[in-house]
Amino acid sequence: MRMRRKKNLDTRITSSSDFMIDLPILPLDVRKANQIRAYLDIEGIFGRRAPLHLEIGCGRGGFVVEMARLHPEIDFLAVEKISNVAVSAMEKVKDAGLSNVRIMITGAEYLSSYIPPHSIDRIYLNFSTPMMKRGYEVSRLTSPRLLTMYRGLLGEQGSIFQKTDDEPFFDFSLESYREVGYTLLNVTRDLHGEGTVEGDVMTEYERKFVSMGLPIYRVEAYVDTID
Ligand SMILES: C[S@@+](CC[C@H](N)C(=O)[O-])C[C@H]1O[C@@H](n2cnc3c(N)ncnc32)[C@H](O)[C@@H]1O
């Protein structure tokens, strides 16, 4: 199914169904794409100004739907690069009748073209594909290049909350956060073994890994130094 159609790139994007944002197609070449500004009109899309959270790689949307249900005062953007998976997430949002979530079909690499600078309060990276083979370092969702880009999307008090089941990927991520200058808090290598973090919601992948008895790694990375 083709979900996106070409649009004039010099207008701000307000066009969204109730659940999915209709994004203009960017050049496949990320460097060329990153030169294009096709910013979302966030207030136009949600019809209000509210704290804005972004989940990157939302899969079938279980996490973002539950978070949006628990936090009607927050607006959520959820990004998924595989269109049929994103459609599942959209159907979940629709079934839940939520007005504070929009799904976007795109890759993380293109987000700086769509999201206005410093407009995001928190980013969630839940069970991102680790891509631990050699040569894939720059494609990982916590590569220094992408963490630098996310910092440009985050506001002054912005944060990234990450969970993963993959220890080498977790270690790579911690190193990347430090390299880019994020402040790390609440680092755990056994989230559920140490008791739950208040407000934390389990994702679909997380349920699977927890039921297999695997430890979950979690970190909070802050743009600003927090005393
Ligand atoms: C392992 S799944 C985790 C799904 C969900 N977050 C969860 O925890 O249940 C990773 C998801 O991230 C998506 N993904 C991987 N790379 C991405 C990228 N560069 N941009 C957007 N989504 C991506 C994949 O298509 C997949 O749906």
Side-chain angles (χ1 to χ4, degrees), residues 46-168:
F46 289 103
R48 65 175 182 173
R49 185 194 288 260
L52 186 62
H53 291 192
L54 167 71
E55 187 186 9
I56 304 176
C58 69
R60 300 188 187 281
F63 174 84
V64 76
V65 163
E66 185 56 16
M67 287 294 286
R69 211 190 321 252
L70 291 171
H71 297 284
E73 75 285 5
I74 298 173
D75 289 330
F76 292 86
L77 294 172
V79 174
E80 172 53 53
K81 71 173 183 182
I82 299 178
S83 55
N84 61 331
V85 177
V87 169
S88 285
M90 190 196 76
E91 282 167 353
K92 267 205 188 79
V93 177
K94 184 178 171 191
D95 291 347
L98 293 165
S99 60
N100 58 335
V101 189
R102 294 293 186 284
I103 307 297
M104 296 163 65
I105 303 177
T106 190
E109 304 75 13
Y110 301 95
L111 286 174
S112 62
S113 295
Y114 294 127
I115 296 183
H118 308 299
S119 60
I120 302 289
D121 296 287
R122 181 170 300 156
I123 292 174
Y124 299 99
L125 297 174
N126 291 322
F127 301 87
S128 309
T129 315
M131 294 201 274
M132 290 312 290
K133 275 196 192 156
R134 267 180 58 185
Y136 284 84
E137 293 81 356
V138 295
S139 305
R140 295 176 195 151
L141 290 190
T142 54
S143 67
R145 182 178 63 95
L146 284 181
L147 291 185
T148 303
M149 188 257 269
Y150 303 155
R151 202 170 53 186
L153 305 181
L154 288 164
E156 262 179 39
Q157 310 293 321
S159 53
I160 301 176
F161 285 11
Q162 183 188 2
K163 292 193 275 188
T164 180
D165 62 304
D166 189 301
E167 189 170 27

